[in-house]
Amino acid sequence: MSYPPSLIQVTPRDLSPYRAGTAGIDYVHTFDSGVAGPHLMINSLSKGNEICGSEAVAALLDDGVRPIRGRLTLSFANVEAYERLDVHDPAPSKFLDVNFNRIWNDATIDGPSTAREVERARQMRPVGRDADVLLDLLSDCFYRAPDPWNDPPLLAYIEKPATRRLGDRIGFPLHHVGCPARAGGEHSGLLFEYGRFSDHDCAAAAFLAECGPHFARRSVDNCLNVAARFLRALEMTDRDTAVRYGALVDEGEIALYTDMIAPTAETDAFRWAGEFRGHETFARGELIATDGARRIEAPWDDCVLITVADRVRRGEGIGHLIRRIR
């Protein structure tokens, strides 16, 4: 899918200055304050075309942000895919061999795969396992031509006490999606579900932040805002740093959603039932789209459509459905 030139405000930078990481892991930087506290990992480039996260992590490194307690890890995940990024056609650089954000289970990482993303997960796994809190910075390429992605930024996490408590302290994004851990967590494959992050009784907490469309300056600003809010909520940064990235601004009330599902088109005859731009609300049974003879209807009242895909072909995701509960 070609990306409209008018929406390209941020272009790829050379990440090689950030290659020399710590503990022998390229593009992974951990800073220890020497004071007891949590280990926060802020990750970018789970997909090679999600440039807003890499710009934010680069800014945090360039600005010399360091924790005043605990440890802070700043990482660039799939740099190899990023290095092939074409801003006019970002889809091919999402990954090289397999989706990096679908391989996070030990069966895959310890298995025989020679995929480059799996090898990168093997390199990064020790740091991810050690993190008490993970924030994965994402963006999205979905848009309905000629308009850009219209969904507000959102924060998603596995629904459990530790994540809900911390999430309620993060004042941006204001749209939070609590997701149930999929069967066993171990077999799901998403980074924010990996290992103890899916353990209901464990205090480790992982979040993903969808911060806006690829290549939009506001998406980078959103990434920095949410990253600074996590640092502030965990008492790992000072007030000046929080102010610099807008993390002390009161944004408003948090809207809470649950039950995220991602329908997939089964035919090449997929059609939306309206000119949806993202964040439309449907009543239970209301028609959202047709897929050949199949009707895709809202499964609940207060059903919200997010990340709306423009052109949908067989086997592709149409976007996501979530249910508002607060």
Side-chain angles (χ1 to χ4, degrees), residues 133 155-157 160-174 176 205 207 230 233 254 256 326:
V133 179
L155 192 69
Y157 49 82
K160 65 178 189 174
T163 50
R164 175 68 71 83
R165 285 194 299 269
L166 181 53
D168 283 345
R169 296 166 60 192
I170 305 299
F172 176 87
L174 290 178
H176 291 193
F207 302 78
F230 271 86
I254 292 173
L256 183 62
R326 186 179 73 193

Side-chain angles (χ1 to χ4, degrees), residues 238-248:
D238 55 30
R239 180 180 176 84
D240 289 345
T241 299
V243 169
R244 181 190 313 169
Y245 300 123
L248 296 185

Side-chain angles (χ1 to χ4, degrees), residues 55-101:
E55 284 294 296
V57 167
L60 294 171
L61 288 167
D62 292 346
D63 292 345
V65 173
R66 300 292 184 269
I68 59 177
R69 76 179 192 113
R71 285 175 292 153
L72 172 64
T73 292
L74 302 172
S75 56
F76 307 89
N78 202 346
V79 177
E80 280 194 78
Y82 170 87
E83 289 173 342
R84 301 187 181 190
L85 177 57
D86 177 354
V87 295
H88 300 291
D89 186 18
S93 59
K94 184 176 180 179
F95 55 83
L96 298 176
D97 297 321
V98 293
N99 189 334
F100 182 83
N101 211 13

